[in-house]
Amino acid sequence: MVIITYLLPALAFASSAIAQCSNAATLTITASADASVLAACTTYSGSVAIPTGLATPQDTNGHQQLSVDGVQVITGNLTVTNAIMLSSLSFGDLKSLGGFELGSLTVLSELSFPQLTQVSSMNFTALPALQQMSFGGTGITQADSVLITNTGLSSLQGINNLQSVSTFNVNNNAALQNISLQVTSIKNSLDIEANDGYVSGLTTTFPMLQTAQNMTFRNCSSVLLPSLANVTQDLGFYGNTMTSFAAPNLTTVGGLIFVDNTDLTNISIPGLVSVNGSYQIANNTMLKQINGFQKLSVIKGALDFNGNFTEVDLPALTQVQGAFNMQSSGQLDCSAFEADSTTKQVIKGHYVCSGSVSKPGGAGTSASASSTSKPTGKSSAGHIEANFPAVMGGTSLIAGLLQLIL
Ligand SMILES: *[C@@H]1O[C@H](CO)[C@@H](O)[C@H](O)[C@H]1NC(C)=O
Ligand SMILES: *[C@@H]1O[C@H](CO)[C@@H](O)[C@H](O)[C@H]1NC(C)=O
Ligand SMILES: *[C@@H]1O[C@H](CO)[C@@H](O)[C@H](O)[C@H]1NC(C)=O
Ligand SMILES: *[C@@H]1O[C@H](CO)[C@@H](O)[C@H](O)[C@H]1NC(C)=O
Ligand SMILES: *[C@@H]1O[C@H](CO)[C@@H](O)[C@H](O)[C@H]1NC(C)=O
Ligand SMILES: *[C@@H]1O[C@H](CO)[C@@H](O)[C@H](O)[C@H]1NC(C)=O
Ligand SMILES: *[C@@H]1O[C@H](CO)[C@@H](O)[C@H](O)[C@H]1NC(C)=O
Ligand SMILES: *[C@@H]1O[C@H](CO)[C@@H](O)[C@H](O)[C@H]1NC(C)=O
Ligand SMILES: *[C@@H]1O[C@H](CO)[C@@H](O)[C@H](O)[C@H]1NC(C)=O
Ligand SMILES: *[C@@H]1O[C@H](CO)[C@@H](O)[C@H](O)[C@H]1NC(C)=O
Ligand SMILES: *[C@@H]1O[C@H](CO)[C@@H](O)[C@H](O)[C@H]1NC(C)=O
């Protein structure tokens, strides 16, 4: 019965290996031995955590490296937090993962996942030494949510081939110079903020992006959205240093907001027909002419503009459901909007329009004129007869005709 004494341990080993490839609790790796258990599994059903206090050898700097090969799929999360001496983390064969969380890894500078293409979520928080990610050839193409905050990353190489994403939030990465994503839709929200700590500006490009629910851009030096067709909630720009913004294919948007973009001189959204929420332009100090909205017809919320502009052209406007507030420290001719508010009844809400205001304010503030000088700027609203055939078409033709009748 010599055979049995051989077989039993072998079976015992096999079954324990299978058991270890599936774990309802989280597998915690603190030493190489734990890592080798994982290495024996092609698919690991469960979550893996690498916490502080790794029992792996330290190099002369006291730094630790961890490398796990073999495992291709982890169905749960991989969470690596507070391993403050971990300088290098590598999963050589891992292709797919649930949540991927790296947090407070002070010296982590090498991240190598050369096969990884799919994660359900990514949360990279407080990784000051991490300058680049290595996710192999195409990088990660599928992720439901991405949060990258407080890292040393200078580019998003490794995730810039994402095809679609629900939530994308990249903030406070002081060395980041460039965000370029191939996504076609943002199902939930996009937030880009305060990534300009060390560099002169963050450029952002979304060449394929067509639809989004909500987008917020702060502190960017350029934002390119050439394919964007519609945004269901808000599209907001705050404190960016871009000099111009254009969205040539955008037709509808929930809310549209431009605040504190101090270098902005030109906004061009020539195909925009409806703003289903509010439309705010405030404190863009260099913006003198607001004339890139040739087709804007319907504003379902309020129109709230204040600044130092001298010209506002909204030639296709047929309806402003909410309040209308337009205050400028520049010389502004309000007569076209006056008519929209009174005889044409295009503007349904409370109407304020005033140029040469000493402190132009937002909706709800009163406009106090600093001088009574005659305005020299020009503005237009409603329907200029001369442009009638060119401007009108489709539903706005009907709306325009109705207006002529009324
Ligand atoms: C994985 O992480 C996500 C997001 O942090 C969490 O909602 C989920 O419950 C985690 N799943 C497991 C199996 O721990
Ligand atoms: C991301 O991870 C950090 C720390 O690791 C945690 O505090 C934070 O709640 C996580 N955020 C999300 C959205 O999961
Ligand atoms: C931004 O990154 C993309 C992809 O990494 C690259 O092709 C592009 O040249 C970069 N643009 C700038 C302005 O650095
Ligand atoms: C803009 O829309 C037009 C018409 O739908 C389309 O042909 C064109 O490819 C779009 N441009 C971009 C850059 O997506
Ligand atoms: C958004 O744009 C897409 C592509 O142009 C179009 O199919 C869809 O109907 C639009 N949705 C809305 C609400 O306008
Ligand atoms: C905006 O409202 C119009 C008219 O109600 C509707 O056709 C369009 O789908 C709405 N757009 C969005 C992006 O919700
Ligand atoms: C949607 O975008 C607006 C403006 O950009 C922002 O103020 C708001 O917080 C965003 N909402 C969500 C849920 O992301
Ligand atoms: C980033 O933009 C915000 C406005 O959204 C502004 O208050 C802040 O000063 C800007 N930060 C930098 C570093 O420009
Ligand atoms: C504003 O930008 C649009 C689109 O890029 C361009 O066609 C137009 O000439 C610009 N206007 C001015 C005054 O520069
Ligand atoms: C514009 O600037 C004024 C003066 O600094 C400030 O009171 C106001 O809140 C700003 N408006 C917005 C929308 O940020
Ligand atoms: C408005 O712009 C003019 C020049 O176009 C400038 O002289 C004036 O100081 C500006 N006023 C404010 C309040 O920014």
Side-chain angles (χ1 to χ4, degrees):
M1 302 310 277
V2 173
I3 286 169
I4 286 173
T5 59
Y6 270 103
L7 262 181
L8 271 179
L11 281 172
F13 177 77
S15 65
S16 81
I18 287 162
Q20 282 158 354
C21 287
S22 164
N23 193 341
T26 296
L27 171 69
T28 300
I29 296 181
T30 54
S32 307
D34 305 326
S36 62
V37 167
L38 193 56
C41 308
T42 305
T43 294
Y44 182 80
S45 301
S47 289
V48 176
I50 302 171
T52 192
L54 274 181
T56 61
Q58 303 192 340
D59 65 15
T60 50
N61 297 318
H63 293 171
Q64 296 166 307
Q65 284 87 38
L66 191 68
S67 168
V68 180
D69 294 325
V71 64
Q72 294 180 11
V73 176
I74 294 177
T75 61
N77 298 339
L78 174 61
T79 306
V80 190
T81 48
N82 302 309
I84 53 171
M85 286 301 164
L86 185 67
S87 63
S88 167
L89 179 67
S90 149
F91 275 67
D93 299 305
L94 190 63
K95 294 178 173 158
S96 150
L97 178 61
F100 189 6
E101 181 175 330
L102 303 181
S104 302
L105 304 174
T106 322
V107 300
L108 184 76
S109 61
E110 195 187 335
L111 187 65
S112 175
F113 286 66
Q115 305 293 324
L116 190 64
T117 57
Q118 257 188 59
V119 300
S120 62
S121 68
M122 216 171 135
N123 174 353
F124 286 12
T125 296
L127 310 174
L130 187 66
Q131 293 178 11
Q132 60 192 39
M133 309 177 271
S134 172
F135 296 136
T138 52
I140 292 178
T141 54
Q142 283 183 39
D144 199 43
S145 90
V146 172
L147 169 63
I148 298 180
T149 177
N150 257 305
T151 73
L153 290 172
S154 61
S155 86
L156 297 186
Q157 192 84 46
I159 64 167
N160 49 23
N161 287 315
L162 272 175
Q163 300 301 303
S164 86
V165 68
S166 290
T167 304
F168 186 83
N169 184 337
V170 175
N171 69 76
N172 292 285
N173 301 287
L176 199 58
Q177 299 182 25
N178 179 6
I179 295 179
S180 172
L181 284 193
Q182 303 303 312
V183 290
T184 56
S185 75
I186 304 281
K187 295 195 190 80
N188 186 4
S189 62
L190 174 124
D191 284 274
I192 295 177
E193 179 174 357
N195 295 297
D196 58 345
Y198 301 159
V199 295
S200 61
L202 172 77
T203 61
T204 63
T205 316
F206 299 84
M208 317 289 280
L209 183 63
Q210 291 180 351
T211 61
Q213 189 174 72
N214 206 48
M215 297 204 280
T216 309
F217 294 90
R218 294 181 194 262
N219 317 103
C220 296
S221 60
S222 72
V223 177
L224 299 182
L225 301 166
S227 307
L228 189 66
N230 50 47
V231 177
T232 47
Q233 293 177 7
D234 291 344
L235 175 59
F237 300 89
Y238 305 83
N240 297 287
T241 55
M242 60 203 182
T243 55
S244 66
F245 175 75
N249 272 15
L250 186 61
T251 57
T252 63
V253 64
L256 183 59
I257 303 140
F258 292 89
V259 171
D260 280 333
N261 302 289
T262 47
D263 298 340
L264 190 61
T265 59
N266 184 356
I267 308 174
S268 171
I269 313 185
L272 186 68
V273 173
S274 67
V275 175
N276 285 5
S278 288
Y279 180 16
Q280 183 181 31
I281 293 186
N283 295 350
N284 304 287
T285 41
M286 298 293 281
L287 189 63
K288 301 295 177 189
Q289 290 160 338
I290 301 172
N291 56 10
F293 299 91
Q294 294 88 336
K295 290 194 181 152
L296 182 58
S297 167
V298 175
I299 299 170
K300 297 251 178 72
L303 180 150
D304 187 4
F305 288 5
N306 65 74
N308 188 9
F309 41 81
T310 53
E311 180 185 336
V312 180
D313 294 310
L314 298 171
L317 206 59
T318 59
Q319 195 191 115
V320 180
Q321 269 319 114
F324 183 101
N325 175 65
M326 195 175 286
Q327 299 185 30
S328 178
S329 53
Q331 296 191 337
L332 181 71
D333 178 359
C334 288
S335 54
F337 298 114
E338 200 82 49
D340 269 352
S341 164
T342 54
T343 50
K344 293 184 180 170
Q345 301 204 330
V346 162
I347 295 164
K348 317 287 185 198
H350 183 64
Y351 170 81
V352 171
C353 182
S354 194
S356 305
V357 172
S358 57
K359 288 196 176 77
T365 64
S366 67
S368 50
S370 61
S371 78
T372 50
S373 63
K374 194 115 183 81
T376 53
K378 68 181 175 73
S379 296
S380 69
H383 310 294
I384 304 155
E385 253 63 35
N387 289 347
F388 189 84
V391 170
M392 292 301 155
T395 53
S396 63
L397 174 61
I398 295 161
L401 288 175
L402 272 174
Q403 237 165 31
L404 290 180
I405 295 162
L406 290 174

